Amino acid sequence: MRAARLIKMVLILQARPSMTGPELARELQVSERTITRDALALSEAGVPVYADRGRAGGYRLVGGYRTRLTGLGRSEAEALFLSGLPGALREMGLEDAASAARLKVSAALLPSLKDASDSAAQRFHLDAPGWYQELKTPELLPAVAEAVWDDRRIKARYRRRDAEVERELEPYGLVLKAGVWYLCARARTAFRVYRIDRFTAVDMDGQVFDRDEDFDLPAFWEERAGQFVRSILRAEVVVRVTEDGARRLPYVTDRAAAREALAAAEGPDGQGRMTLTLPVESHEVAYGQLFALGPDVELLEPPELRALFADSSERAARLYR
């Protein structure tokens, strides 16, 4: 533990001209007294750490010292490619590996490029979850992530409807979609998708499996996501929408289904409205989605849903009269 901290301290000082004791203490999450002891230990080991005394003092490396300890380990290299996803790294337990990798890259850069990482971080940030969501990190995510990185089989207990089932899985990849973590895994011979927040237990049996080199995680996820959307759009409604309603329709219903329906519809009628057939999850879901468009949508079919729209509209009109 201390050896790793000493290496990290050298890399930090190599990447920056000088740092105060409090700054190093915050960076390494230790006390200032520990920083003093670590600096002394490095000096005794031959690393030229110099301490400037006084209010403007700090720690620095003397004479352009460059450590050779900048080679990336495998876990650090893999984490570096995910460094634009700080929340995801933290949830998978890879934050320390990514931090070490960034330090090693910074230490290897030319002095004129030392601020590159800070410059990028101040100009780009990815916030994956949607608005108005309070998401909880799945407790078993780090264990699943470890199995994914190491290509190790797992035995997982999984909530499925009202029961729990046990599956032996070969975990191929993780996907973070709208703040929800999914595992893409092979069960026997078929690839399937599992929500990690439904796992109740995960045990690694220690056996390494041979990955199918033809497996393409992005392509697999795109295909399954499309299948999922098509599988839940089991009903249809016929609507007339204004130009503004057509523009807003993809934002209140399934985006792909709305755009396909709009593309297949004929041009506006004499009142400037387009008639289209829209796939929906159910008539109940369609009611909640389409009612948000107000007078920019007219529900034509099915008749029972049109009657519900008419009744709700009349009650709303009486309320605001």
Side-chain angles (χ1 to χ4, degrees):
M1 185 75 175
R2 191 190 185 198
R5 188 177 69 243
L6 292 174
I7 292 172
K8 191 172 183 179
M9 183 174 175
V10 173
L11 291 172
I12 290 172
L13 292 175
Q14 185 171 307
R16 307 176 194 180
S18 177
M19 288 191 72
T20 66
E23 288 173 339
L24 278 170
R26 283 194 299 271
E27 188 82 22
L28 297 173
Q29 298 182 353
V30 295
S31 67
E32 292 182 47
R33 182 173 294 181
T34 298
I35 294 298
T36 301
R37 289 198 297 264
D38 286 353
L40 180 61
L42 286 170
S43 181
E44 292 175 348
V47 178
V49 177
Y50 182 78
D52 290 315
R53 304 296 179 184
R55 166 166 270 170
Y59 294 90
R60 60 187 174 86
L61 293 175
V62 179
Y65 176 82
R66 308 288 294 178
T67 178
R68 296 177 181 272
L69 298 172
T70 53
L72 291 178
R74 180 173 181 83
S75 63
E76 294 167 346
E78 291 170 336
L80 185 61
F81 286 101
L82 297 172
S83 59
L85 301 168
L89 282 168
R90 184 171 55 253
E91 292 173 6
M92 288 190 291
L94 295 173
E95 189 173 27
D96 288 342
S99 176
R102 286 192 294 269
L103 281 170
K104 290 182 178 182
V105 170
S106 296
L109 292 175
L110 294 172
S112 61
L113 300 177
K114 293 298 185 185
D115 65 340
S117 61
D118 291 336
S119 177
Q122 293 304 318
R123 287 167 173 77
F124 176 77
H125 176 70
L126 177 62
D127 185 5
W131 291 103
Y132 316 119
Q133 296 182 10
E134 294 184 5
L135 300 172
K136 184 179 179 182
T137 302
E139 183 179 347
L140 297 173
L141 175 60
V144 176
E146 182 181 351
V148 169
W149 289 118
D150 294 341
D151 294 338
R152 294 191 180 277
R153 291 190 181 92
I154 60 173
K155 290 183 179 179
R157 292 194 62 80
Y158 183 82
R159 290 194 304 273
R160 187 175 180 182
R161 299 185 181 89
D162 297 330
E164 281 193 3
V165 296
E166 186 172 279
R167 294 286 186 267
E168 291 189 2
L169 304 175
E170 295 178 353
Y172 268 67
L174 293 169
V175 175
L176 177 61
K177 170 70 172 178
V180 179
W181 284 97
Y182 297 87
L183 172 67
C184 301
R186 182 163 59 186
R188 297 192 180 95
T189 59
F191 285 97
R192 303 183 186 279
V193 177
Y194 302 87
R195 277 186 63 141
I196 295 180
D197 58 6
R198 293 180 182 168
F199 284 174
T200 59
V202 172
D203 293 316
M204 275 191 285
D205 62 11
Q207 295 185 17
V208 176
F209 65 89
D210 294 324
R211 291 181 67 91
D212 181 350
E213 297 301 328
D214 293 329
F215 179 78
D216 185 330
L217 179 60
F220 171 77
W221 176 259
E222 183 178 3
E223 178 187 358
R224 287 305 171 93
Q227 290 176 358
F228 172 74
V229 170
R230 290 190 294 271
S231 71
I232 65 173
L233 299 180
R234 300 187 181 96
E236 288 183 343
V237 295
V238 180
V239 296
R240 291 175 70 230
V241 293
T242 64
E243 182 180 351
D244 190 51
R247 179 182 60 80
R248 295 163 54 199
L249 188 64
Y251 297 96
V252 299
T253 63
D254 178 75
R255 186 166 298 185
R259 287 177 175 168
E260 289 177 8
L262 288 167
E266 296 182 0
D269 57 21
Q271 295 180 329
R273 291 177 177 262
M274 297 172 58
T275 300
L276 53 96
T277 301
L278 178 69
V280 293
E281 185 174 343
S282 68
H283 292 158
E284 293 77 10
V285 170
Y287 170 76
Q289 293 173 333
L290 297 174
F291 201 76
L293 298 180
D296 288 313
V297 63
E298 178 187 1
L299 201 296
L300 300 179
E301 296 179 17
E304 61 273 17
L305 189 55
R306 178 180 173 85
L308 180 59
F309 266 71
D311 179 66
S312 297
S313 299
E314 289 175 3
R315 287 189 288 114
R318 287 197 300 268
L319 178 64
Y320 287 99
R321 230 173 245 136

